[in-house]
Amino acid sequence: VGVLCEVVSAVAAMEKEEILVNSVMTKMHRIVADLDENGSGSISKKELKTLLDHPEAARTLHDVGVDVVGLVDFADFIFQNVMADVEDEQEEDRELSFSD
């Protein structure tokens, strides 16, 4: 009986996490689509900062354990090597795809 309870508990926890992940992904996809200034489907440093300033996005990320303030601090690091070979492009315009 104890093993059965453990299995049921583990399955319930996995399902709860899956629901949370799907909810976060849905919210973030909607917010990102709204904030994607050039419709590229990628995110620029400027768009990332705008995203992190968005109250619902910040709250959603915080709710799943993301340190939003830390992410803002790491924006420079995240984008430092993106398209570094393109010299004439402004730093704020460099973009990452979501798979990057």
Side-chain angles (χ1 to χ4, degrees):
V1 174
V3 173
L4 181 59
C5 289
E6 286 296 320
V7 170
V8 169
S9 178
V11 169
M14 286 175 40
E15 288 178 353
K16 183 178 178 182
E17 183 175 340
E18 185 176 331
I19 290 168
L20 178 62
V21 168
N22 286 336
S23 173
V24 169
M25 286 179 58
T26 300
K27 286 180 186 178
M28 293 305 294
H29 279 276
R30 181 181 46 78
I31 294 167
V32 168
D34 290 344
L35 297 176
D36 189 4
E37 295 174 353
N38 60 3
S40 67
S42 298
I43 191 163
S44 68
K45 186 174 170 182
K46 180 181 175 186
E47 290 169 336
L48 176 63
K49 288 181 178 183
T50 302
L51 174 70
L52 298 176
D53 285 337
H54 190 280
E56 184 180 3
R59 185 174 42 256
T60 300
L61 291 171
H62 181 268
D63 288 348
V64 293
V66 173
D67 178 5
V68 177
V69 174
L71 191 53
V72 169
D73 292 342
F74 277 104
D76 290 332
F77 177 76
I78 293 168
F79 284 88
Q80 76 180 4
N81 292 324
V82 177
M83 298 174 67
D85 58 327
V86 181
E87 295 175 8
D88 61 339
E89 187 165 13
Q90 295 293 321
E91 182 179 346
E92 292 290 318
D93 294 332
R94 296 178 184 167
E95 294 188 343
L96 287 171
S97 68
F98 286 99
S99 61
D100 291 338

